[in-house]
Amino acid sequence: MTVLAQPASDTVRTVDLAWRHLARQRRLYSILGFGGLALALVGSLIFADESNAGHFVDRLPHLFDFLSWLIPHDWMDVPRALFDLPTPADNGTLEYNFPDGRVELGAGFYLPEYFYLMLITINVAMVSTIIGFTGGLLLCFLAARNMMPSFLVRSVVRRVMEVLRAFPEIVIAGLFAAVLSIGPVAAIIAVGLHTIGALGKLYFEVIENIDMKPDEGLKAVGANWIERVRFGALPQVMPNFVSYAMLRLEINVRASTIIGAVGGGGIGEELKLSISRGFGPKTIALIALLLTTIIIVDQISAYVRRKLVGDAAFLIHG
């Protein structure tokens, strides 16, 4: 019995019809999915608006009313607030008492209050990053599959790191603030613990992709586990470890500011008070200083990371 081959044109037509059918099905599913998501979003917004005592939709026209007090009458009050200089508008209230917050250094020199608060925030971020780097470095080798053969040890260490990064820094800070009282110490502990969990995960994933030949050579000459980690694995991953730590420093500066707004000290607390009291010049000065600091930290961090891992790691390959 001879089987006649199907003409090539018929095969192409069959494949084309099947592809068009699948494409129509996918478009239909996409439309239904987006439609369901849109209905759920609209329904949730309506429910939230009805549950909100202030009625969110009704208040939308007043969304930018704060600009009326945020814009200062005299724009020179912004640099005066930033550098603690007296203002002609001083009326004895807290809104214009710019020189009162100076940190006197002696011999006629002083440190402006907001720069001092920014230094506190940066110190919180730096100390937290050092704690996170050290803790992550100590735990990551115990969590890496290629360095720790014990499944039990790996599981316990990974669960610990998951718990540390599961809760936002602000929640941990609130817990420690209740025990240690509000201030930078609670903020350092909160950000530091979260950083241990975050960096630890990144670190052990880097370790699991290293070249194991140095480890095999050390094992062959009788090196113990610590020596294999120190001389076989650590030199390969340290540039990436420091790079991730610098990246985390950028994140911790922002996290320290947010925690400061809830009692963690630093510039965040002053920014919250300034906004809540409607102090326009002070608010703009604080925001400008915060943005400038974050940009500087980001640029320094990016420069250091490029020097550590090389420019090739930042190139987009086609």
Side-chain angles (χ1 to χ4, degrees):
M1 180 177 178
T2 303
V3 179
L4 297 177
Q6 188 179 13
S9 58
D10 292 344
T11 302
V12 172
R13 189 178 301 109
T14 301
V15 172
D16 181 65
L17 290 174
W19 179 85
R20 291 179 183 274
H21 176 69
L22 291 175
R24 284 195 298 268
Q25 277 188 332
R26 192 164 74 173
R27 281 195 295 267
L28 177 62
Y29 293 153
S30 298
I31 292 172
L32 291 176
F34 281 115
L37 181 62
L39 289 175
L41 178 61
V42 171
S44 62
L45 289 176
I46 293 174
F47 174 78
D49 182 59
E50 293 175 350
S51 303
N52 190 343
H55 288 287
F56 176 75
V57 175
D58 295 339
R59 298 296 301 173
L60 275 178
H62 306 283
L63 184 61
F64 296 102
D65 282 356
F66 73 94
L67 289 176
S68 62
W69 60 261
L70 185 62
I71 298 176
H73 299 292
D74 183 2
W75 279 97
M76 288 304 298
D77 280 343
V78 175
R80 293 184 186 118
L82 186 60
F83 295 101
D84 290 348
L85 301 174
T87 173
D90 189 1
N91 54 9
T93 64
L94 294 176
E95 183 175 4
Y96 294 103
N97 64 336
F98 303 152
D100 291 354
R102 293 178 176 180
V103 179
E104 299 294 339
L105 302 177
F109 295 97
Y110 69 90
L111 182 66
E113 178 186 12
Y114 296 162
F115 286 85
Y116 174 73
L117 295 175
M118 193 71 245
L119 285 176
I120 293 177
T121 298
I122 294 175
N123 284 336
V124 169
M126 292 183 66
V127 174
S128 302
T129 304
I130 293 173
I131 293 174
F133 175 79
T134 304
L137 183 63
L138 294 175
L139 293 177
C140 63
F141 290 99
L142 300 175
R145 185 177 293 105
N146 55 342
M147 295 302 300
M148 175 49 63
S150 172
F151 174 78
L152 178 60
V153 174
R154 292 201 312 268
S155 298
V156 171
V157 174
R158 291 189 183 192
R159 298 299 84 76
V160 169
M161 291 190 292
E162 288 171 2
V163 170
L164 291 178
R165 66 174 181 271
F167 299 98
E169 296 97 327
I170 194 169
V171 174
I172 305 175
L175 175 63
F176 281 97
V179 178
L180 303 172
S181 77
I182 59 176
V185 175
I188 289 173
I189 295 175
V191 180
L193 290 177
H194 192 275
T195 303
I196 290 175
L199 287 182
K201 175 178 173 57
L202 294 173
Y203 286 175
F204 84 72
E205 289 178 349
V206 172
I207 294 170
E208 290 182 341
N209 290 285
I210 64 173
D211 182 6
M212 294 302 294
K213 291 180 180 179
D215 181 77
E216 294 171 0
L218 289 167
K219 189 186 299 184
V221 298
N224 58 36
W225 186 82
I226 296 178
E227 291 171 337
R228 287 160 48 205
V229 168
R230 168 63 183 86
F231 298 105
L234 196 59
Q236 297 186 60
V237 297
M238 186 53 73
N240 292 94
F241 279 14
V242 178
S243 175
Y244 279 131
M246 294 300 297
L247 180 62
R248 189 68 199 184
L249 176 62
E250 304 173 18
I251 300 172
N252 287 348
V253 171
R254 291 181 277 270
S256 301
T257 302
I258 296 172
I259 292 177
V262 294
I267 198 171
E269 185 175 4
E270 187 65 25
L271 179 60
K272 176 189 175 183
L273 292 174
S274 180
I275 293 175
S276 63
R277 294 170 178 173
F279 296 165
K282 288 186 174 182
T283 300
I284 295 178
L286 286 164
I287 292 174
L289 178 60
L290 180 61
L291 289 177
T292 302
T293 302
I294 289 176
I295 291 173
I296 293 174
V297 171
D298 286 353
Q299 293 301 312
I300 294 175
S301 175
Y303 174 79
V304 173
R305 285 189 288 122
R306 283 180 179 272
K307 290 298 181 182
L308 287 170
V309 301
D311 291 336
F314 292 82
L315 298 177
I316 299 176
H317 300 282

